[in-house]
Amino acid sequence: MIIVLRPDATQADIDHILERAQKLGLKPHISKGTKRTIVGLIGPEDVLRTVPLEVFPGVENVIPVLAPYKLVSREFQKESSQIAVTDRVKIGGKKIILIAGPCAIESEERLLEIAEKVRSAGACVLRGGAFKPRTSPYAFQGLGEEGLKILKRVSLKLDMPTVTEVMDPRDVERVARCADILQIGARNMQNFNLLKEVGQTKKPVLLKRGLSSTIKEWLMSAEYVVAEGNPNVILCERGIRTFETATRNTFDVGAIPVAKRLSHLPVVADPSHASGKWQYVPALAKAAVAAGADGLIIETHTRPEEALSDGAQSLLPERLTELMQELRKIAQAVGREI
Amino acid sequence: MIIVLRPDATQADIDHILERAQKLGLKPHISKGTKRTIVGLIGPEDVLRTVPLEVFPGVENVIPVLAPYKLVSREFQKESSQIAVTDRVKIGGKKIILIAGPCAIESEERLLEIAEKVRSAGACVLRGGAFKPRTSPYAFQGLGEEGLKILKRVSLKLDMPTVTEVMDPRDVERVARCADILQIGARNMQNFNLLKEVGQTKKPVLLKRGLSSTIKEWLMSAEYVVAEGNPNVILCERGIRTFETATRNTFDVGAIPVAKRLSHLPVVADPSHASGKWQYVPALAKAAVAAGADGLIIETHTRPEEALSDGAQSLLPERLTELMQELRKIAQAVGREI
Amino acid sequence: MIIVLRPDATQADIDHILERAQKLGLKPHISKGTKRTIVGLIGPEDVLRTVPLEVFPGVENVIPVLAPYKLVSREFQKESSQIAVTDRVKIGGKKIILIAGPCAIESEERLLEIAEKVRSAGACVLRGGAFKPRTSPYAFQGLGEEGLKILKRVSLKLDMPTVTEVMDPRDVERVARCADILQIGARNMQNFNLLKEVGQTKKPVLLKRGLSSTIKEWLMSAEYVVAEGNPNVILCERGIRTFETATRNTFDVGAIPVAKRLSHLPVVADPSHASGKWQYVPALAKAAVAAGADGLIIETHTRPEEALSDGAQSLLPERLTELMQELRKIAQAVGREI
Amino acid sequence: MIIVLRPDATQADIDHILERAQKLGLKPHISKGTKRTIVGLIGPEDVLRTVPLEVFPGVENVIPVLAPYKLVSREFQKESSQIAVTDRVKIGGKKIILIAGPCAIESEERLLEIAEKVRSAGACVLRGGAFKPRTSPYAFQGLGEEGLKILKRVSLKLDMPTVTEVMDPRDVERVARCADILQIGARNMQNFNLLKEVGQTKKPVLLKRGLSSTIKEWLMSAEYVVAEGNPNVILCERGIRTFETATRNTFDVGAIPVAKRLSHLPVVADPSHASGKWQYVPALAKAAVAAGADGLIIETHTRPEEALSDGAQSLLPERLTELMQELRKIAQAVGREI
C-alpha cells in the first residue's frame, strides 16, 4: 500500500498515519521527494484495505500494490487448473470443450432433438436454461423445476453432462442434483450470497463475467466461491457493455489472455451473448479459440424462429457443424484440440 | 413493432412474416420504399417481443415502438406517485426527503450517535447496512441479524424510520420486520427473484440503478416489483460505470429528469456512491436537488477514519448541516422544500 | 514514480533499473516487502515518463505519482483564474456567464433575431457556428467564411462578444479576427496541432471535453494551449459517451467540482449537447450552476423546426428567459450571481 | 424514416408533419395503432435528416431506417474492395498483410535495423511515426519532417512500402510524397477537414477507429474520404475505450465481422494499441486473423527499453517471427494466407 501525501501535509499528519500503521502491524517506509512525500506500508494489505486512509489528514491518494485476490491467482498456483465435469470431460486441459444447446429448455422433445444434433457436431456438454433471468417480468421465465427434470432426463438418455443457470440461493441444491455445472449468470456475478451458496457445493461453477465488471472484480467473485471451499470455478467471458450497439455486447477477447495470466482458472467464451446475432457467432468463436479459450458455450437451436428466448443469437446445428471444422484447424494451430 | 426488410427480401419472405403476424392477432401495414420495404405490426407488442423476428428470412432489423414497461410509466399514471414511508414521511411530494446515516451499522452506540446527529441536520430517514455486498470475500460483510436488531432499536428510540439493504430473497421477511424501506442495491437491480420477493411485501422499496443499467432496464426492474403487487417503488440514481476514474462512478444527473418524465415514481439521488469521495458529495447533492430529485441519501459518519466501510465517501455531520443550508435555498429556487 | 517488481525479480533486474534511474538523475528508494519489492524513484517524473519501465525485466507494474499537468494545476496556481473576454465580460469570477445562440449561423437576419432575444434573456456572449463538424459528409457543414462575417457584423451591431468553433489550424487566424472566444470542439480536444495553433493567439479558448476523454486528458489538452503561451483557457463539460442512450450524452456533472479542484481554470457547462433534447436542458443547466459551474452555453433558436443543425436540443428564447429566473435563485443559493 | 407520435398527438399535429413531408417530396404512410400513430416517410432520407422532426408538436420519437453511409456500404458494392498499396501489395484479398515497425521513427539506423527484421519476419509494409499525437505537450512529439525523410530513404533502400500518420491538413501533401499509406489516427477519426484533405489525394488511407466511435461513425468517416474522390480506404480496429483498465483499450474483435458485413472496405487490426502490453499482442493478433481481419499492424522494436514511444506494447522481432508461424496456420484454417 502506497500513500501519496498532499504537498501541504504536516509532520503531525505523517505521525498520525504512522501511528495507525504500527497499530496494524505494518512497517512504514517514508520517501521525501521534491514535491511529495510518499509512505509505503509493508505487510498484509488486507488489514489496510479496511482502513479508509483517504480520509486521514494530509493524504492525497492511496495506491494498493498487491492484487486483492489470492486463491484464484496464478501466483498462488502456477499450474493451470483442470476442472473435472465428469470422468471424461475436463475443462482447462489441451482439449477445448464445446458446450452447446438452446438458451431455454422449451420441451423434452425439443431439448432431445437439439442435444442429439449438438453432440453430433462435437459438443461434450449440453446447455439449457430452466430459470431464465429476463429484463421484462412479462417475458418467458423458463420452465423452472419442470425444466430441471427434463434436463436431467435428456442428460441421462444421452449420457451427456449439462450446465444450467441457478439464480436463487434457495435453488442451488435442487439445481445441483440435476446438472453437472452450475452457471452463475452475468447479472448475478456479484450476487455474493449466491456465490457463497455454490461455493458450498463441490460442483463445477461456470462464472460469467458481469456486464460491466472489471477482470479484477470477476476474479474477486471467483475468490468468493473458492474461499468457500469449492475450487472448481470456470470463468466465462460473454461480452461487456460499451457504447457500441451494433452487437448486443462487446466481446472482450483480450480478457481471455489477461485472465489466464492473472489466474490459474480455465476461461471459456460465450460468443452467442457477446454478439447477440448468430451471424457473428462463428467469427467470435474462432477468435476466442485463437486467443487461448479453454472452451466455448454456443447457443444452438433447431428452429430459431420458434425459440422462446434468444432466437436471434442461436446457431442452427448444421452451422455449428461447419464451424467446428474451422475450429479444429485453429485449435491445432495454437497447439490444442477441440 | 416495425420490421425493416433486406433489399433482397422476396414476396415469400413477406408472406411468411405476415402469416406469423396474423396468427398472433396483429394487423400488418406494408410500406414499399424505393430502397426498403417496411412492415409495421399493430397490436400488443408483448406477444411480438417473444418472437425472434430477426431470424426470419429477409429481415434486416426489428424496431420496437412502445416502451416495454407499463405500470410504472407516466403514460399509465399521469400524477406523480407519493410513497408513504410513515404517516409523516412521504417521498415524491413537495418536500425533498433527506436519508442519512453510516454505510454499515458498526455498533449500537455508534449508530445512535450518528442517527442523532443526522436527525438534527434535517434527515427524516436513517440509513445503515446490516448486510453489505462487498467485492472481496475478505472485507467486512456487515453485522447481519445483529445489525438489523440494532437498527430497529435505534429506530424506535429516535422514532425515525429506516432503510437498509436486503441482498437475499431468504432475508426479505426479517429485514421487512426491522426496517421501513427495503433497499435493493445496484448489484442486485437485476436479481429478479429478489425483486419478486420484495414485490410481495407492501414495504417501500428503494431501487438503486445498476452500475451499467440503462434507464429503461431500471424501469423494467421497477416493473417487476410493481407487477408483483407492490406499487411503492422509489428509484435511486447512484452513478453509473464509465471510463472516468476521477470519481468512483459517474453521477448521471440527467437520469433524474428522464426517469421522472418516463415514470410516475419518485427519484432520489445518492451522491456518496456516485462520487466515492466526500469532497464531491456537496456539489452532487446540490446538483441533484436542482435537477428535480425527490430525495437524497447521504452517507454520514462521526468518525470516518474508523468507518468499517466507505469511510472515504462519508460526510461529517457538521458538513451535512452546512450542506443543508444551501440545499434549502436551492430547493426553494425550484419550488420545493427540504 | 513507483515501480512494483514481480515476485521473481532478481537482484540483477533491480540493479538494471537503478542504473537507468541514476543516469536520469533520479534518487531511488527500495522497499522490500514480504511479497513484493517496490522501487520509488524521486525526482522529475517527466524524464521517467518517456522511459518504458514496464518492459524492463522483473517489472510488474509502474505507477506514476504526480499529476502530468503543471501550468493548469491548482497546485501551480492557488487562485482561480478569471478569463477576460472583454473589459466587462469575465469568466471565472462571482458572476456566472450565460453564452447562448444557435448551433449554426444560418443567415444574418436569423442570427440577429436570436441574438437580440438571448441578450434580453441575460446572455453576455453570443454563440453560433460557421464551421460545423458533422458526422455525415452530406449534412450542412456551416456557412464557413460567410458565417464568420455575419457573426462579426451581428457582434458589432449588438456590442456582444461571440464564441465560434475553429476546426482547422489554417482557420485560426481568420476566426480569431471575427470572434472573441475560440471554441475547440469535443472531437478536436486531442487535435494537438490545432491546440498549439490557438495557443499561439492570446484569445480566450473554450475547450470542450472530448466524448471519451478523462478529466486528466482534458487538463493535458488545456496544458497544450497554456504551454504554448496562451493562459486563457475555459474548460467546458458537455457530456461524455456511455452506454446510456436516453440522452445524447451523459452529462458528467461531477466533472465540474473535480476539474475545479484539480485546476485553477474556469469551467462552463453545455447542457444542450449533454442532453441532446431541449426538454432536459433546464434540469441540466440548473444542476450545473448548483454544482459550481462558472458559465453555461445553451443552444437557443427562435424556430427550432427550421434549424439546420441540432434543432432538437435548441431552447426557445422564452424558455431560456424562464430558466434564467430559476438560475438566478440557484446562483444566489451557492453564493454566485448570473 | 419512421415517426412515432405521442398518444396525445392531434390531427393538426399530423397534418403539420405531412405538410412538411410533402414539401420535401416524401410519400407518407400512416398507421394508427391502438396506442400510437406512426408515420412512415418514404423517399430520400437525406433530406429528412436535416429536418429536426423531434421538435414538431406531437412527435415522440424519430427512427431512421436506412444506413447513413452509401459509397462505403456493402449494399452499394457487393464485392470486397482490394486496395493496391503497390503493384505487389494489395490489402483486402486472400493474402493477409502484415504491417510492422516502430511506433516512432527515432533515427535512420534504428529504423533500418527494425525494418530489416520485420521484413524477414514477413512484414510487407513498414510502419513508423514522424508526427506523434501525444497526450502530453512535454512528451516526444516525433522527428517531423526529418522523420519523413528517414522513412522515405529506408523505404527506397529496402523497396518496402510504408505507412505513417498525418495529423494536420497542412502536412498531407508532404506526407503523401514520402509514404505509401496515409494513416489517420484514432484521435483524428472525426477531424473532418483532415479527412477531406486525404480524400483529395489518391493515396491509400488507413483509417483508425476512434476511441469511442461507433462502427457507424467509423463508416461515416470513411464516407468522407470516399465522397471526396478517394476510394482507397482501409479500416483499422485498434480497441475502444471502456471501463476495463487491465488493457490499454478493449479490442473489439466483433467489429471486424460487423464492418466487413456492412462495408466492402478491408479491415485491419492493431493489437498493439488495443492491448497496450506486448504480452497480449500475440493473442489479439491471432484472434483478429481468426475473425477475418485483412491485415495486422504490429508495433515492433529491437530495443523496447529505449523506445521513445510505446515501448511497453512493442514486440521484439524474434517474437514477431514466432507469432507469424502460428498466424500462418490460423490464416490457412480460415481459407487465407499471410
Side-chain angles (χ1 to χ4, degrees), chain B residues 257-307:
Chain B
V258 173
K260 289 187 72 70
R261 190 174 173 228
L262 299 179
S263 171
H264 54 83
L265 297 174
V267 182
V268 312
D270 176 348
S272 308
H273 283 86
S275 63
K277 294 190 182 152
W278 65 263
Q279 290 92 335
Y280 302 130
V281 168
L284 298 195
K286 289 185 271 181
V289 168
D294 297 302
L296 292 171
I297 176 162
I298 298 184
E299 287 188 356
T300 320
H301 203 286
T302 44
R303 304 175 203 190
E305 287 191 9
E306 294 167 23

Side-chain angles (χ1 to χ4, degrees), chain C residues 97-159:
Chain C
I97 298 301
L98 174 64
I99 305 169
C103 179
I105 297 162
E106 295 160 1
S107 72
E108 185 154 353
E109 301 65 42
R110 183 61 48 87
L111 184 65
L112 189 59
E113 173 185 304
I114 298 172
E116 284 173 332
K117 299 260 187 185
V118 300
R119 196 174 57 165
S120 305
C124 304
V125 181
L126 176 65
R127 62 153 292 153
F131 300 103
K132 300 300 307 168
R134 304 301 296 272
T135 304
S136 165
Y138 310 121
F140 174 60
Q141 309 266 321
L143 296 181
E145 185 75 33
E146 181 52 27
L148 288 180
K149 286 180 189 158
I150 292 174
L151 186 68
K152 184 70 182 170
R153 285 197 296 267
V154 170
S155 170
L156 289 172
K157 193 171 288 180
L158 299 188
D159 188 22

Side-chain angles (χ1 to χ4, degrees), chain D residues 106-281:
Chain D
E106 295 158 1
S107 72
E108 185 153 353
E109 301 66 43
R110 185 61 47 88
L111 185 64
L112 189 59
E113 175 186 302
I114 297 171
E116 283 173 331
K117 298 261 188 182
V118 302
R119 196 175 56 164
S120 304
C124 304
V125 181
L126 176 65
R127 64 152 290 152
F131 301 103
K132 300 300 307 168
R134 303 302 296 273
T135 305
S136 166
Y138 310 120
F140 174 60
Q141 309 266 320
L143 296 180
E145 184 76 33
E146 180 54 26
L148 288 180
K149 287 179 190 158
I150 292 174
L151 186 67
K152 184 70 184 174
R153 286 197 296 268
V154 171
S155 169
L156 289 172
K157 194 171 286 179
L158 299 187
D159 188 22
M160 197 174 177
T162 60
V163 58
T164 200
E165 177 162 356
V166 57
M167 288 168 62
D168 192 316
R170 295 169 296 190
D171 293 332
V172 169
E173 213 185 297
R174 55 181 178 158
V175 174
R177 274 197 304 272
C178 295
D180 300 281
I181 305 176
L182 304 174
Q183 179 180 312
I184 300 295
R187 281 166 191 76
N188 281 312
M189 193 202 85
Q190 293 194 317
N191 183 335
F192 301 115
N193 288 22
L194 183 61
L195 295 177
K196 288 178 188 167
E197 207 69 42
V198 300
Q200 276 163 20
T201 73
K202 290 287 174 232
K203 286 272 175 178
V205 172
L206 185 80
L207 179 66
K208 291 209 165 184
R209 181 178 177 190
L211 271 79
S212 66
S213 297
T214 61
I215 294 170
K216 196 196 274 184
E217 289 168 342
W218 191 22
L219 294 179
M220 288 308 287
S221 286
E223 185 88 10
Y224 258 96
V225 178
V226 178
E228 211 62 43
N230 183 354
N232 301 309
V233 179
I234 304 149
L235 300 168
C236 179
E237 161 63 32
R238 45 77 73 207
I240 56 173
R241 181 161 277 183
T242 70
F243 60 84
E244 178 59 67
T245 56
T247 42
R248 183 172 175 182
N249 293 288
T250 296
F251 182 49
D252 183 6
V253 71
I256 299 170
V258 173
K260 288 186 75 69
R261 191 175 172 226
L262 299 178
S263 170
H264 54 82
L265 297 174
V267 182
V268 311
D270 176 347
S272 308
H273 283 86
S275 63
K277 294 192 181 149
W278 66 264
Q279 289 92 335
Y280 303 130
V281 169

Side-chain angles (χ1 to χ4, degrees), chain B residues 184 189 195 205-209 218 221-222 233-236:
Chain B
I184 300 295
M189 194 202 85
L195 295 177
V205 173
L206 185 80
L207 180 65
K208 293 210 163 184
R209 180 178 178 191
W218 191 21
S221 285
V233 178
I234 304 151
L235 300 167
C236 179

